[in-house]
Each structure stands twice: as C-alpha cells, then as structure tokens.
Amino acid sequence: MKKENKKMKKARKAAVKNVEKKAYQPLTWEEVFAGEQLPSLPSALPKMIDDTISQTPDLLKGTVAQVIPVAYSIYPRGLKFVYIDGRTREPRMNCLLVAKEGGGKECITLPIKHILAEVKENSRQDRQRLKEFNDKYSRARQDEEKPKRPDDLDIRWLFPDITRPRLSQAMEDAQGAFLFLKLNELEDWDKLEGAKGKSNSFSLMKLIDDEDNDFGQDRVGAQSVNADGCLRLNYIADSTETKLKKYFRYIHGEGPISRITLGGIPSVEIGAPIPVFGSYDKHYDDLIRPYIENLKKATGTILCKEALQMAETLKAEIDAFNSKTQDRILDTLSHRSLVAAFRRGCLIYAANGMEWEPEIEYFCRWSMQVDLYMKYKLFADDIRQANDCVKTDKPGPQSLLDKVTVNAQGEFSFDEVVRVYTESGKTPDEKRVRNVLNQWKARGFILQMTNDSYKKIS
C-alpha cells in the first residue's frame, strides 16, 4: 500500500473538516428564543477554543468556551481592530457565569490558571518586590534618603478586595496592558465601586467597557497614588439567577446589563455522574502556548475584513429578527452584544497569528446567541418595568408578523396590523405602523397589494 505523503494527509484532513463544516447548521434567532435551553456549542470550533476546552467534560464545554477568551485577552498590548462603524475596538472583555443554583463554577478554574500562569507568577513576584520596598520605606529614618519605588512592576492579576487607589496604581504600572480580575461572587464588585444597593451606580463597570476612558485620581503625599490614564480591566465573575436579578434591581435601564457578557452553568440532574476532567499538564500547556505567544506579539491597529464581514452578517441577522418583533429591549441589548462577539472574533484571529478560520464566525454567533438569550430571559421584563413599558411574561420576543391574521389568500389589511400593534402594547401611530410595513416589505417578508392591503411571503 502506498504511503500517504504530507500533501495527501493535509488534503484528507481538509476534506474531513469541510464535511464537518457542512454538517453544522447554526440556529436562527427564532429557534434560539423558542428554545427552553441555551444554544448548544457548535460542532465545528476555532482551533484555539477547541484546544483550550479539550480537557473539559462535554457537559461543561460551553461554559468554559464562553469564559476563556477573557483570560487570553490579557496578553495583547496596544492591539485594536477597526469595527463596522469605522472606530477601533480593543479586546475589552468580561464574562459573568450564571447558574440556577450555586455550584459548577470550578470548571473554569484550571483553564484560566494555565492560560494566565505567566501573568499570575509575574504578579506574585512583583507583589513581593513591592512589599520589600514598602518595608524599607517604612523603616527608613527621617534623616535618611528614602528608597525609590520600582518602576517596572507588573502586577496585573488582581484580587477582589482591591481598592480604587490600588487599581489606579496598577493601571499606571501596567503601561497600557490589561489587568485581570476574577471575582468569586459578583457582589465583590461593590468593593471596587465603593458603594452598594441603591447608591451603587456601577460607574466603573460602565467605564471599563468604553474605549479611551479616563480614569485616575490625585492625592497629596509622598506615597499617595497619583494616576491618570485609560483603564483596561477585564474580569470574570459568577452568580445565581436570583442573586443576579437582585444585584441589578435598581439599575435595569441604565447600562451595566448591556455591558456584561453572560454565560451559563448547566444544572446537573440529581444523582447524575460526576463530570470527569482530563489532564491539565505540560502537554496542555504546550497546546495553548502558541496562542499566548501570538497574542503577546499582537499590537497595532488591524483591519480584518473577515471580522468586519462577520459583524455585518450577525447584525443583518439580528436586525431581520428585530424587524419582525419590533422589540426595543432586544434591539438595545443587541448592540453591545454584537461588539462583544466582534471583539472575541478578533482576539481568536490574533491568537491564530492573524489568520482567519470560518469556525470563528460559528463560535461568535453562538456566543452572541447565548448572551442575548440569557439577558432577555433574565432582564427584559425588568427593563420594561423600569422604562414604564408594558410588562410581558412571554419567554422571548414575539414576531408581530406571526400574529397578523390573514385570509385564505394569505392577505391582510393595514387595520389588522394596527390591531396587532395595539394588542402588543405599542402605540398604533399610523406613521410608525407604515414604517414597520415598509421594513417588512424591504426585507422580503411581505408584498404590498394595494395601498392598504398586503400579502405574507412564505
């Protein structure tokens, strides 16, 4: 039998991969919101994601996959990507894992520990150096020359009890690099904001999602922190559904919710077998090392045409769904969710050495669908109440077009749309209704028969 050469082997692998791609069919937005469970992780994944979750049990792969881009995002410095609005976006990321009950969050611990082993070790060593400096400074007599603080500290793995002055100093030391924070509970964010309950406006949570933000403080004294710059802080946290809704109960319409990316922790059936993890060993470290090295080298402003096309495609899909539902809450939430998906796609592209994979789009669509599905299920009614809108207990946004009653020929009148609009709690303004009909017509959902009659297109 003739031995398979490298070229033949590569072609065979490519053929297998193409079959897998064709087999994967992404869910539509209608299917996502009609489902009772989170969308399933795609069968075809980007290599970085596939390698990183290789030791995770199947049940928890989706949970880990949604989180790990945040860990990888700490490595690039000065990296920006041009977005579809012409502005640039840095890899600013976060992920909040949400479970119905406590437990399950430990599945992300080992992947994060191995991805950020270098950052954590550097932070540990430089904390020791900082402690030694502080001890020397405190012991120095008044008539002695005080030691100078080290100017090359790199403490980027932060602890949940960090104060704002210490955060300002860490930002100054990082010199444009990203800081990392892993919160054991979402409520630990109160320590950073310095407030809780009704007095907590989550100004810092909103600030760190904005490009070119301005953060810092002025103090008086030789050892006081004086810092001014752009804060780059990426974080991971977890909560239960009940605690999460309670935590954000005072600010439903004010922005923090749209700025977080949600991920789910699946519930395990009573008596189910314990999920078995693989080995996080040297082989695993060698597997993820190339992605880390590529991200450490990644810098500058990048125009990735494939990422832009992906963002345009995802926007067109969610806009088409929104034109049917006319759901303002979903439309508002989708804007930042799309940016988050774009950032993730660009990060994976950079981790690949600036090479695109079709699977990146599969993953980013899934990530965006998980995020919006959870946000809508958890917060849509609360946001409506906060905005004095009509409250609905429906599980997801409903298509107004599907509610329109048609005759035997599939036709309906303008007045029928007004009726549906009114029953859905929306003001049946004639100009607004005609604008909706024009949207449906432009997107190929309906045909206009006469001035006041229309026909659904199957």
Side-chain angles (χ1 to χ4, degrees), residues 13-280:
K13 286 183 177 179
V16 171
K17 203 167 187 181
N18 285 332
V19 170
E20 290 175 350
K21 287 179 198 174
K22 290 177 183 176
Y24 173 67
Q25 291 294 327
L27 293 176
T28 65
W29 283 103
E30 285 85 353
E31 291 170 331
V32 168
F33 285 107
E36 295 296 323
Q37 303 293 332
L38 287 173
S40 298
L41 194 65
S43 56
L45 291 168
K47 198 168 185 305
M48 185 192 88
I49 301 296
D50 209 19
D51 286 342
T52 311
I53 66 174
S54 60
Q55 304 305 306
T56 303
D58 289 344
L59 176 69
L60 300 168
K61 283 185 185 293
T63 301
V64 178
Q66 188 76 321
V67 167
I68 54 177
V70 184
Y72 279 112
S73 70
I74 306 305
Y75 283 104
R77 188 191 298 260
L79 179 65
K80 298 181 180 181
F81 283 89
V82 180
Y83 188 52
I84 52 179
D85 61 3
R87 295 183 294 173
T88 57
R89 296 290 190 275
E90 294 180 300
R92 296 176 178 272
M93 295 187 192
N94 63 70
C95 187
L96 173 59
L97 291 178
V98 186
K100 288 188 178 299
E101 61 277 324
K105 62 185 178 182
E106 64 277 358
C107 66
I108 66 173
T109 302
L110 285 174
I112 292 172
K113 179 181 177 182
H114 282 257
I115 294 169
L116 289 174
E118 180 181 328
V119 171
K120 189 172 185 179
E121 178 59 20
N122 288 342
S123 298
R124 186 194 66 78
Q125 292 178 6
D126 282 359
R127 271 196 187 88
Q128 183 60 35
R129 291 174 59 205
L130 182 60
K131 181 179 183 301
E132 291 170 357
F133 158 74
N134 287 331
D135 290 344
K136 288 180 182 178
Y137 192 97
S138 299
R139 287 197 303 266
R141 297 195 307 268
Q142 290 289 342
D143 57 347
E144 288 182 336
E145 184 178 351
K146 297 286 187 179
K148 291 184 178 179
R149 188 179 186 274
D151 59 4
D152 60 346
L153 294 173
D154 185 26
I155 304 174
R156 291 192 284 143
W157 181 295
L158 307 179
F159 294 131
D161 61 350
I162 189 170
T163 62
R164 281 213 177 199
R166 179 68 195 96
L167 182 61
S168 299
Q169 186 65 71
M171 175 193 74
E172 191 91 346
D173 293 338
Q175 299 180 4
F178 277 91
L179 306 171
F180 176 73
L181 181 62
K182 184 175 181 293
L183 301 172
N184 297 322
E185 298 289 345
L186 180 60
E187 291 83 351
D188 288 340
W189 192 268
D190 290 343
K191 299 169 186 175
L192 269 174
E193 296 285 357
K196 60 183 178 179
K198 288 185 178 181
S199 62
N200 193 345
S201 62
F202 298 94
S203 59
L204 188 61
M205 186 177 285
K206 291 183 279 190
L207 179 78
I208 59 177
D209 189 60
D210 298 334
E211 310 290 334
D212 302 315
N213 63 63
D214 193 12
F215 179 77
Q217 63 176 27
D218 292 319
R219 292 289 186 270
V220 177
Q223 280 195 291
S224 297
V225 177
N226 292 275
D228 179 21
C230 182
L231 179 60
R232 296 172 175 88
L233 173 64
N234 291 351
Y235 65 94
I236 294 167
D238 62 81
S239 185
T240 62
E241 291 183 4
T242 304
K243 290 169 72 175
L244 176 62
K245 287 172 70 67
K246 183 179 178 182
Y247 190 59
F248 284 131
R249 66 190 180 279
Y250 300 118
I251 46 83
H252 286 134
E254 298 176 19
I257 292 168
S258 67
R259 285 171 165 85
I260 56 177
T261 298
L262 296 185
I265 302 176
S267 298
V268 180
E269 295 295 330
I270 296 174
I274 296 175
V276 179
F277 290 80
S279 299
Y280 291 88

Side-chain angles (χ1 to χ4, degrees), residues 408-427:
Q409 289 73 42
E411 297 180 4
F412 61 93
S413 67
F414 176 84
D415 289 340
E416 171 61 14
V417 181
V418 171
R419 180 192 69 78
V420 171
Y421 223 73
T422 304
E423 289 184 357
S424 298
K426 304 178 187 297
T427 305

Side-chain angles (χ1 to χ4, degrees), residues 328-377:
R328 181 63 64 183
I329 304 301
L330 180 63
D331 181 62
T332 301
L333 291 173
S334 70
H335 297 163
R336 289 187 184 272
S337 188
L338 177 62
V339 174
F342 172 79
R343 284 169 169 159
R344 286 165 178 252
C346 290
L347 181 85
I348 299 171
Y349 171 74
N352 282 346
M354 304 301 175
E355 291 187 10
W356 187 262
E357 302 171 88
E359 293 86 351
I360 295 175
E361 183 171 326
Y362 301 162
F363 173 75
C364 292
R365 177 184 282 105
W366 168 83
S367 178
M368 182 178 173
Q369 287 178 340
V370 168
D371 178 45
L372 278 181
Y373 176 90
M374 295 188 68
K375 281 177 181 171
Y376 197 91
K377 296 278 186 179

Side-chain angles (χ1 to χ4, degrees), residues 281-420:
D281 50 15
K282 185 179 183 302
H283 174 71
Y284 181 80
D285 290 336
D286 292 341
L287 202 61
I288 65 175
R289 173 53 53 185
Y291 308 117
I292 293 171
E293 292 302 321
N294 283 336
L295 288 170
K296 286 165 68 176
K297 292 183 289 187
T299 190
T301 299
I302 310 296
L303 177 66
C304 177
K305 293 180 180 178
E306 294 90 346
L308 289 173
Q309 181 58 54
M310 177 192 75
E312 292 281 12
T313 299
L314 296 181
K315 184 179 187 307
E317 290 175 4
I318 192 65
D319 283 353
F321 182 59
N322 279 334
S323 73
K324 292 181 181 179
T325 66
Q326 291 296 300
D327 193 300
R328 181 63 64 183
I329 304 301
L330 180 63
D331 181 62
T332 301
L333 291 173
S334 70
H335 297 163
R336 289 187 184 272
S337 188
L338 177 62
V339 174
F342 172 79
R343 284 169 169 159
R344 286 165 178 252
C346 290
L347 181 85
I348 299 171
Y349 171 74
N352 282 346
M354 304 301 175
E355 291 187 10
W356 187 262
E357 302 171 88
E359 293 86 351
I360 295 175
E361 183 171 326
Y362 301 162
F363 173 75
C364 292
R365 177 184 282 105
W366 168 83
S367 178
M368 182 178 173
Q369 287 178 340
V370 168
D371 178 45
L372 278 181
Y373 176 90
M374 295 188 68
K375 281 177 181 171
Y376 197 91
K377 296 278 186 179
L378 288 168
F379 294 114
D381 285 346
D382 294 327
I383 294 172
R384 283 195 186 90
Q385 278 190 319
N387 294 339
D388 293 323
C389 292
V390 174
K391 188 177 185 300
T392 176
D393 293 323
K394 297 295 183 183
Q398 305 293 299
S399 170
L400 296 183
L401 184 56
D402 289 345
K403 294 180 179 181
V404 170
T405 302
V406 299
N407 61 21
Q409 289 73 42
E411 297 180 4
F412 61 93
S413 67
F414 176 84
D415 289 340
E416 171 61 14
V417 181
V418 171
R419 180 192 69 78
V420 171

